[in-house]
Amino acid sequence: MTSRLIYLPLGGAGEIGMNAYVYGYGPKDAERLIVVDLGVTFPDMDGTPGVDLILPDISWLEERKAMIDGIFITHAHEDHVGAVGHYWERLGAPVYARKFTANIAARKLEEHGHPDGVLTVVGPYPETRDVGPFKVSFVPISHSIPESSGLIIDTPEGRVIHSGDFKIDKTPVVGEAFDESLWAEIAKDGVKALVCDSTNIFFKAEGRSEASIAGEVEELMRDAPGMVVATTFASNIARLKTLAVAADKAGRSVCLLGRAMRRMVEAATETGLLKDFPSMVSPEDAQNIPREHLLLLVTGSQGERRAASAQLANGKYLGLTMKEGDTFLFSSKTIPGNERGVIRIMNQFSEMGVDVVEDDTRYHVSGHANRPDLERMHEIIQPQILVPMHGEHRHLREHVKIGNSKGLTGIVAVNGMMIDLSGNAPTVAEYIETGRTYLDGTVQIGALDGIVRERIKMALNGHVIVTLIVDENDEPLGEPWVEVVGLAETGTSNAALVEVLEEDLGQFLMRAEGKTLRDDVKLEKELRSIARRTTQAEIGKKPEVAVIVSRLG
Amino acid sequence: MTSRLIYLPLGGAGEIGMNAYVYGYGPKDAERLIVVDLGVTFPDMDGTPGVDLILPDISWLEERKAMIDGIFITHAHEDHVGAVGHYWERLGAPVYARKFTANIAARKLEEHGHPDGVLTVVGPYPETRDVGPFKVSFVPISHSIPESSGLIIDTPEGRVIHSGDFKIDKTPVVGEAFDESLWAEIAKDGVKALVCDSTNIFFKAEGRSEASIAGEVEELMRDAPGMVVATTFASNIARLKTLAVAADKAGRSVCLLGRAMRRMVEAATETGLLKDFPSMVSPEDAQNIPREHLLLLVTGSQGERRAASAQLANGKYLGLTMKEGDTFLFSSKTIPGNERGVIRIMNQFSEMGVDVVEDDTRYHVSGHANRPDLERMHEIIQPQILVPMHGEHRHLREHVKIGNSKGLTGIVAVNGMMIDLSGNAPTVAEYIETGRTYLDGTVQIGALDGIVRERIKMALNGHVIVTLIVDENDEPLGEPWVEVVGLAETGTSNAALVEVLEEDLGQFLMRAEGKTLRDDVKLEKELRSIARRTTQAEIGKKPEVAVIVSRLG
């Protein structure tokens, strides 16, 4: 039987976040598999209230556990590594990553009590791992976290380049620069497929280097009259360095606030990446430093409610407070969907008299390649096939269009589309059922289980609880009892809603026939329907209704 | 007793939306009052799930109903006129507006069954209304809806200019241009206070005219290969005209989809504003027109779930469908907080092969004055006092700072801050309790009533219902019964969550003392606490719990 090379995104293609890609090689339905990245995405009140974390549905992989030869993590962002702890047991394969990424992954595996030895630290290319039919190397590539890597995946069908998240940055402040000649060398014998980051495909200007903002940041640190508090993604070690070095030059001591940031700096220190980083002071010591000589680096660039930025916006945090004349700098970009949270803290700071600086061109550069940079990457790699990933549908589609316009063959492959890369042109081999898994409390539930949907419905419509006792003779014992949660107390008839409900339900029961009273399903259906109708008439809302009939019989 | 001139924002100062401003003149606590604007703001899933509309809390005004001499509506945007129907009865004063605004307001008053004669149509300045101690005129000012007006409010303490929402547009396509010499004339004898729009204070470039986008829009209409569907705010009659005229020039018939848009065009037609507007075709006729000769103007620029844009994104709407080669144009800007909805439909269109054009500089101009335009307005009016309004705290604060830098006296006055404008400098006279009222179904509830909070808690935590029957001897009759809504079915012990709960609650009841079983409050508290503890242990969530104890005694 002939073998084939397949690519299957389980997450990250058709969305930004929750990356999980599968490559396979072998006879149809008996391919040996590797997984690239196992990330998470984050819940929101709109669609996933109360959910703790969103993970890709890996049922397809789990059913093929024995076929998985390895899990490769390109870098330590949560949308690439966040599910490793939750899922390792279900996949059971060795995990490969570079040193810094492995440091972060190890913490996650540890939290879930997984054994040591799961994790293999791999050095950069030309170091190569043979896993099943694949030879895989990590090629340093610039991004907004240290030691990001693109992968070379050599297969019997040819070389695949999985770009990982990347930008073209020749002066990245921390870590390895984008090395154009290295990539050209890697691509020189031909590349079967480039599976490529699409995040910034709609940005038409050439991307800017991390080093380019240092001057502006330094000026701000020098000119700000009071304390400066700056936020960025905790994992953006280069940015932390840019900010800290600027502060140092402006005579400011640096203090770090926020668990995620401390953890990242710890990992960067342990792996030897934090060279020439100014020394830091503790929050306790910071309290004794004149505010014009202080920079706080804090978590919460997306307005997260529990992060250090929000704590400072609410008042005191670890003994530190902001006040009139201080400056709060967003050295970050607000991710679509997070605007409300960010605006909330901006206004809280405004009320304190704090000047908020939010300018994502002067004090921030993106970690992803813009359109011209992606085009440059296409030119360097010159792949036979372009497969955009790490994007919503519109990003993937635009990326293919741009590839096509330069003569590349491309395919929009969204989660669940298994692509056969074996031939000269990519074909859709199969559609796999994919989806999302929610971590809800300590339990994993399916996105389509309806559990979260029930919660959303209660949030929109309120909840009415009807209880009724039926005696041994199938006669109602007393009146039905009603409680309401999340609904107005009184409506049009100016009596308490619960009383109107009890009255209407009582009336119905008085007239109800024996066969209705004997039939739980029928009885509950009728009571529910009356409860909804009455609530609608009273307050104009159709609530969720729970009916509980207790039979003494 | 000496009289004073007061200004009191009840909504719109400290937020963008829900505008409601009060001016008063007279002896302290016996001022005659006028209201400027009565707007609404819109709910979201984050903070107000299930709420239909958010209105300012007007309790303070209602208590002074007899003192209100008039309600003036500056323009017909929902955040200025949306509460008129809901609140008119509680305030009972005559409503003044210009013709187009009155047309919209009349529909709202009618919907609520308010009497004719409530509404007085006022012509533009120099027409003036004497209401109590005030003389008020509507001065045409450019904005993104026809007949927007700033108000001259002449008081015994001097002239107040209430800018309303505005931009400086000398070629506004529909309606009146910003007339600099008119405003200079109005201001020439001195202005006590300029109460001024702050929405775009953070935009540093000079604002652009509505006319400036016509060329780009025309080019798009000409070059697009298939059908063009364009969305903008329904009330932006000038934009509808810009789009329709461009379509007409490009040989496209124009078809309008969406109730809000039809209503606005109807109002504009009735009031004689829609001159030189290309004739339109019905959705039925549109089906027979070749798609390259068609422009659909549709509602839903903010990705609203039920608007025409979302319906088209979901498939068919009124017999019309979009397909590969068509273009969807956002001639609008996404309001912060609405990104998710907009991105959702963008991706749906992408899946259909529709090209989405979203570029808020080429195909959209804002309806609000940018910073240089606001500075120009300050220069023209040269007020004694600058009072920023229509902004979040950060906008108001920035506006005052900019005024100060040019030598103006300004004050940040947020909702509930009553400002005494009588003296040479503004002072805070009093803090009034203000807030938000929710229209929830057909009922008005207070934002702090806790009703919506209960719904949010159920959405985050799920709901457990415990029912128990206690017999005449205060002994549990049978086992407790548990139902769960919005929670995982099984947890750590691999048994059904409801069964584990019933087991734990049953265990407790077997050991419970008589005095606990006799005491409803104590019993419910214990059962709730066990239900929470067990759920937490099983699935890691602390649910909301309703306990219903039925006593046969």
Coordinates of all heavy atoms in Angstrom, one line a residue, chain B residues 468-503:
Chain B
L468 N -36.3 19.2 49.5 CA -36.4 18.3 50.6 C -37.8 18.4 51.2 O -38.3 19.5 51.4 CB -35.4 18.6 51.7 CG -35.5 17.9 53.0 CD1 -35.1 16.4 52.8 CD2 -34.6 18.5 54.1
I469 N -38.4 17.3 51.5 CA -39.7 17.3 52.2 C -39.5 16.9 53.6 O -38.8 15.9 53.9 CB -40.7 16.4 51.5 CG1 -40.9 16.8 50.0 CG2 -42.1 16.4 52.2 CD1 -41.7 15.8 49.2
V470 N -40.1 17.7 54.5 CA -40.0 17.4 56.0 C -41.4 17.1 56.5 O -42.3 17.9 56.2 CB -39.4 18.6 56.7 CG1 -39.3 18.3 58.2 CG2 -38.0 18.9 56.2
D471 N -41.5 16.0 57.2 CA -42.9 15.6 57.6 C -43.4 16.3 58.9 O -42.7 17.2 59.4 CB -43.0 14.1 57.7 CG -42.2 13.6 58.9 OD1 -41.8 14.4 59.8 OD2 -42.0 12.4 59.0
E472 N -44.6 15.9 59.3 CA -45.2 16.6 60.5 C -44.4 16.5 61.7 O -44.5 17.4 62.6 CB -46.6 15.9 60.7 CG -47.6 16.1 59.6 CD -47.5 15.1 58.5 OE1 -46.4 14.4 58.4 OE2 -48.4 15.0 57.7
N473 N -43.5 15.5 61.8 CA -42.6 15.3 63.0 C -41.3 16.0 62.8 O -40.3 15.6 63.5 CB -42.5 13.9 63.3 CG -43.9 13.2 63.5 OD1 -44.8 13.8 64.0 ND2 -44.0 12.0 62.9
D474 N -41.2 16.8 61.8 CA -39.9 17.5 61.5 C -38.8 16.5 61.2 O -37.6 16.7 61.4 CB -39.4 18.4 62.7 CG -40.3 19.6 62.9 OD1 -40.8 20.1 61.8 OD2 -40.7 19.9 64.0
E475 N -39.2 15.4 60.5 CA -38.3 14.4 60.1 C -38.2 14.4 58.5 O -39.3 14.6 57.9 CB -38.7 13.0 60.5 CG -38.5 12.7 62.0 CD -37.1 12.6 62.4 OE1 -36.2 12.3 61.6 OE2 -36.8 13.0 63.6
P476 N -37.1 14.3 57.9 CA -37.0 14.3 56.4 C -37.9 13.1 55.9 O -37.8 12.0 56.5 CB -35.5 14.0 56.1 CG -34.8 14.4 57.3 CD -35.7 14.1 58.5
L477 N -38.7 13.4 54.9 CA -39.5 12.4 54.3 C -38.8 12.0 53.1 O -38.7 12.7 52.1 CB -40.9 13.0 54.0 CG -42.0 12.0 53.5 CD1 -42.3 11.0 54.6 CD2 -43.2 12.8 53.0
G478 N -38.2 10.8 53.1 CA -37.4 10.3 52.0 C -36.1 11.1 51.9 O -35.7 11.7 52.8
E479 N -35.5 10.9 50.7 CA -34.2 11.5 50.5 C -34.3 12.9 49.9 O -35.4 13.2 49.3 CB -33.5 10.6 49.4 CG -33.3 9.2 49.8 CD -32.2 9.0 50.8 OE1 -31.1 9.5 50.5 OE2 -32.4 8.4 51.9
P480 N -33.3 13.7 50.1 CA -33.3 15.0 49.4 C -33.2 14.7 47.9 O -32.7 13.7 47.5 CB -32.1 15.7 49.9 CG -31.2 14.6 50.4 CD -32.1 13.5 50.8
W481 N -33.7 15.6 47.1 CA -33.7 15.5 45.6 C -32.9 16.6 45.0 O -33.1 17.8 45.4 CB -35.2 15.5 45.1 CG -35.3 15.5 43.6 CD1 -35.4 16.5 42.8 CD2 -35.3 14.3 42.8 NE1 -35.5 16.1 41.5 CE2 -35.5 14.7 41.5 CE3 -35.3 12.9 43.1 CZ2 -35.6 13.8 40.4 CZ3 -35.3 12.0 42.0 CH2 -35.5 12.5 40.7
V482 N -32.0 16.3 44.1 CA -31.1 17.3 43.6 C -31.2 17.4 42.0 O -31.3 16.3 41.4 CB -29.6 17.0 43.9 CG1 -28.7 18.0 43.3 CG2 -29.5 17.1 45.4
E483 N -31.3 18.6 41.5 CA -31.2 18.8 40.1 C -30.0 19.8 39.8 O -29.8 20.7 40.7 CB -32.5 19.3 39.5 CG -33.6 18.3 39.7 CD -34.7 18.4 38.6 OE1 -34.6 19.2 37.7 OE2 -35.6 17.5 38.7
V484 N -29.3 19.6 38.7 CA -28.3 20.6 38.4 C -28.5 21.2 37.0 O -29.0 20.5 36.2 CB -26.9 20.0 38.5 CG1 -26.6 19.4 39.9 CG2 -26.6 19.0 37.4
V485 N -28.2 22.5 36.9 CA -28.4 23.1 35.6 C -27.0 23.8 35.3 O -26.5 24.6 36.1 CB -29.5 24.2 35.6 CG1 -29.8 24.7 34.2 CG2 -30.8 23.6 36.2
G486 N -26.5 23.5 34.1 CA -25.2 24.1 33.7 C -24.0 23.6 34.4 O -23.0 24.3 34.6
L487 N -24.0 22.4 34.8 CA -22.9 21.8 35.5 C -22.6 20.4 34.9 O -23.5 19.7 34.4 CB -23.1 21.6 37.0 CG -23.2 22.9 37.8 CD1 -23.7 22.7 39.2 CD2 -21.8 23.6 37.8
A488 N -21.3 20.0 34.9 CA -20.9 18.7 34.4 C -21.7 17.6 35.1 O -22.0 17.7 36.2 CB -19.4 18.5 34.6
E489 N -22.0 16.5 34.3 CA -22.8 15.4 34.9 C -22.0 14.6 35.9 O -22.6 14.1 36.8 CB -23.3 14.6 33.7 CG -24.6 15.2 33.1 CD -25.1 14.4 31.9 OE1 -24.7 13.2 31.8 OE2 -25.7 15.0 31.1
T490 N -20.7 14.4 35.6 CA -19.9 13.6 36.5 C -18.6 14.2 36.8 O -18.1 15.0 36.1 CB -19.5 12.2 35.8 OG1 -19.2 12.4 34.5 CG2 -20.7 11.2 35.9
G491 N -18.1 13.9 38.0 CA -16.9 14.5 38.5 C -15.9 13.4 38.9 O -15.9 12.3 38.4
T492 N -15.1 13.8 39.9 CA -13.9 12.9 40.3 C -14.3 11.5 40.7 O -13.6 10.6 40.5 CB -13.1 13.5 41.4 OG1 -14.0 14.1 42.4 CG2 -12.2 14.7 40.9
S493 N -15.5 11.4 41.4 CA -15.8 10.0 41.8 C -16.5 9.2 40.8 O -17.0 8.1 41.1 CB -16.6 10.1 43.1 OG -17.7 11.0 43.0
N494 N -16.6 9.7 39.6 CA -17.1 8.9 38.4 C -18.6 8.5 38.6 O -19.1 7.7 37.8 CB -16.2 7.7 38.2 CG -15.1 8.1 37.3 OD1 -15.2 8.9 36.4 ND2 -13.9 7.5 37.6
A495 N -19.2 9.0 39.6 CA -20.7 8.8 39.7 C -21.4 10.1 39.3 O -20.7 11.1 39.2 CB -21.0 8.4 41.1
A496 N -22.6 10.0 39.0 CA -23.4 11.2 38.6 C -23.3 12.2 39.7 O -23.5 11.9 40.9 CB -24.8 10.8 38.3
L497 N -23.0 13.4 39.4 CA -22.9 14.5 40.3 C -24.2 14.6 41.2 O -24.0 14.7 42.5 CB -22.7 15.8 39.6 CG -22.7 17.1 40.5 CD1 -21.6 17.1 41.5 CD2 -22.5 18.4 39.6
V498 N -25.3 14.5 40.6 CA -26.6 14.6 41.4 C -26.6 13.5 42.5 O -27.1 13.7 43.6 CB -27.9 14.6 40.6 CG1 -28.0 15.9 39.8 CG2 -27.9 13.4 39.7
E499 N -26.2 12.3 42.1 CA -26.2 11.2 43.1 C -25.2 11.4 44.2 O -25.6 11.1 45.4 CB -25.9 9.9 42.4 CG -27.1 9.3 41.6 CD -26.8 8.2 40.7 OE1 -25.8 7.5 41.0 OE2 -27.5 8.0 39.7
V500 N -24.1 11.9 43.9 CA -23.1 12.2 45.0 C -23.7 13.3 45.9 O -23.5 13.2 47.1 CB -21.7 12.6 44.4 CG1 -20.7 12.9 45.5 CG2 -21.2 11.6 43.4
L501 N -24.3 14.3 45.3 CA -24.9 15.3 46.1 C -26.0 14.8 47.0 O -26.0 15.1 48.2 CB -25.4 16.4 45.2 CG -24.4 17.4 44.6 CD1 -25.0 18.2 43.4 CD2 -23.9 18.4 45.7
E502 N -26.9 13.9 46.4 CA -28.0 13.4 47.2 C -27.4 12.5 48.3 O -28.0 12.5 49.4 CB -28.9 12.6 46.3 CG -29.8 13.5 45.4 CD -30.5 12.8 44.3 OE1 -30.4 11.6 44.1 OE2 -31.3 13.5 43.6
E503 N -26.4 11.8 48.0 CA -25.8 10.9 49.0 C -25.2 11.8 50.2 O -25.5 11.5 51.4 CB -24.6 10.1 48.4 CG -23.7 9.3 49.3 CD -24.5 8.1 49.9 OE1 -25.4 7.7 49.2 OE2 -24.0 7.6 50.9

